[in-house]
Structures are given as structure tokens and as C-alpha cells.
Amino acid sequence: MEDIERYGDYDEIDEAPQGSKNPVTTIIKAIIISLCFIVVGLILFRVILFNYYPKGMKNVYFDEKLSEYYSLQDGEIFAKTQKLRAPYDDPDFASFFADNLIIIKDVGQLQLSVRYNSSLFDTIEEKYGVRLDPESDSLFEFELERVPFEEGREAETVGTLTHSESASLMMYTYNKLVFSDVEYLDPETPDWLRLKITLKGVQGAEPYYILVYENTEEYSAFEDYKLSKGERPDV
């Protein structure tokens, strides 16, 4: 009988109290769940921000020549676009990113946007010992070059930068670039055009290069660029 009574006592001790929870455990669980949501939210925010471009930086810029052409063609500009396969200057440690390529061959224009992170200035200072002013309007020189396929030949400048404007959001600065008088080669002729970015006021600085236009046997995928209502000029 004594053993049976002891066994009954063990059952009473092992039973968990009903309706009571450890408040410390509850708080820890809540903190862990909150941290998970915060981390996921930050990751999503960075992804969205990384792919974001202000409208003025990605939309077609209508100068006088393009506006006149738009009017003559009854609201058409016959623009093309191409997905950049390598939209950065360096695959391992990129300083500049290019996107939103717009090709308007009938008026000899090439438009695109370029983005860089504010950490670029730390990298430049570390490499060249020069601290550039992020607020300056003349930090970089943008040029468009045709890349030769033959060894030993130098790249040649193509077109002229006729419009440049900038915008910023948090750590990113964006530049909208419009090159005019761009001579496009025959569709059957292989062609590479690259963006050359030169640091102003930094002696001996190496240029940055981004391939922004390809028309080769390996890659020649172009798509029609459709104007949105917000892009159409009042003419």
C-alpha cells in the first residue's frame, strides 16, 4: 500500500499546472519573432531599394529634337530597350550600376540611368587619397565609347552627352544621361558600346566601364520600348 501511495504522489507532482505560462519564456519568444520580422523586413527593403529608380531617372527624356520627332510620327518614337547582361563596372566590387537603357536610332539617341552608393567616396579616398565632395555637381565625366573587336585598336568616343540630371534617395545617387548624335552601325555589324566614367579632380584615377549596348552573334536581344502616359510630352 505504501508503494501505491508514493506512486500516486509522483503523478500529482508531474502534472503541469493548467492555465499558467512562464512569462519569461513568452517574452523571449515574442522578442525572437519580432527580430525575425525586422530582419526579413530589412532584407525586403534593401532588395526593393536596390532595384528602385526615380521616374525621372528611368523615363524617356524628351529634348527639342525628340519632341519634334514624336510630333511628326504621331506619338511614336520607335524606341528599343535591352537588358544589360553585366550592368556594373566590376563583378566583384561594383561602384556604378547602369539600367533603363533606351535606344532611339532614328534620332541618334541613347538614354540610360546610372546609380552609385555613397560608400563610393570612401572607396575613392582609400584608393587615391582624395576626398570628393558628394554635394558637388561636377564629380564625374560620362562618355560613350565604341569598343573595337580588333586587338590593338583604341576605343573611340561616340555621340555627345547633351543632358544630365541627378536625384538621390537615402544612400543612392542617380544620374539620367542622354547621349545624342550616336552613330549606330548596321544591324549585321557586331557592335559594343560602353559607358566610360571618369573621376574629375583625381589625378591618375582609372576610369570605370560598363557595357551598355550589345549587338553580336552571342547577344542581340532588343525589345520595343512602350511609352507610358506619364512619359508622353505635351506637344
Side-chain angles (χ1 to χ4, degrees):
M1 290 293 292
E2 186 177 352
D3 291 340
I4 294 175
E5 290 176 358
R6 290 178 179 175
Y7 182 78
D9 292 341
Y10 294 151
D11 286 345
E12 291 178 5
I13 295 172
D14 288 341
E15 287 182 1
Q18 298 296 321
S20 63
K21 295 183 179 180
N22 189 326
V24 175
T25 302
T26 302
I27 292 173
I28 293 175
K29 287 182 179 179
I31 292 174
I32 292 174
I33 293 173
S34 299
L35 288 174
C36 289
F37 276 109
I38 291 173
V39 171
V40 172
L42 287 174
I43 293 174
L44 289 175
F45 176 75
R46 288 299 301 267
V47 171
I48 293 172
L49 183 61
F50 182 80
N51 293 287
Y52 171 79
Y53 282 84
K55 286 185 178 180
M57 300 294 105
K58 64 181 181 179
N59 288 354
V60 174
Y61 174 79
F62 280 86
D63 58 9
E64 184 177 347
K65 185 176 182 179
L66 186 56
S67 296
E68 182 180 353
Y69 179 74
Y70 172 88
S71 181
L72 291 174
Q73 298 298 326
D74 297 323
E76 297 291 341
I77 59 173
F78 307 104
K80 297 284 185 180
T81 185
Q82 183 180 58
K83 182 178 180 180
L84 305 187
R85 292 197 295 168
Y88 38 72
D89 62 283
D90 189 299
D92 298 320
F93 192 80
S95 296
F96 292 91
F97 290 84
D99 203 349
N100 308 305
L101 175 68
I102 303 170
I103 304 156
I104 314 167
K105 290 188 175 182
D106 289 349
V107 295
Q109 278 195 3
L110 185 148
Q111 304 188 10
L112 76 160
S113 49
V114 181
R115 181 191 71 223
Y116 63 86
N117 192 302
S118 57
S119 62
L120 170 66
F121 299 102
D122 296 328
T123 303
I124 293 172
E125 184 176 17
E126 181 179 347
K127 187 173 183 179
Y128 299 109
V130 177
R131 184 68 185 182
L132 297 179
D133 180 9
E135 303 300 323
S136 175
D137 294 328
S138 58
L139 294 171
F140 314 108
E141 181 180 1
F142 299 102
E143 299 174 274
L144 195 63
E145 291 186 337
R146 173 162 283 120
V147 183
F149 285 82
E150 301 83 359
E151 292 186 8
R153 289 188 57 188
E154 297 290 332
E156 59 180 12
T157 302
V158 177
T160 305
L161 181 65
T162 54
H163 177 78
S164 176
E165 60 180 290
S166 63
S168 60
L169 178 64
M170 299 187 71
M171 75 284 289
Y172 289 115
T173 298
Y174 309 85
N175 287 92
K176 171 69 176 184
L177 308 176
V178 179
F179 292 93
S180 300
D181 300 322
V182 177
E183 182 182 354
Y184 291 96
L185 301 182
D186 184 274
E188 302 301 321
T189 304
D191 197 14
W192 279 334
L193 297 179
R194 70 184 181 189
L195 179 67
K196 178 182 179 182
I197 306 170
T198 306
L199 300 179
K200 291 185 176 181
V202 182
Q203 189 173 2
E206 299 176 355
Y208 302 87
Y209 295 103
I210 305 176
L211 188 63
V212 297
Y213 174 92
E214 291 185 76
N215 183 32
T216 64
E217 291 184 3
E218 183 183 7
Y219 189 72
S220 59
F222 295 92
E223 298 178 1
D224 291 334
Y225 181 89
K226 301 296 184 182
L227 282 172
S228 66
K229 290 184 179 180
E231 290 179 278
R232 296 182 181 275
D234 297 325
V235 294

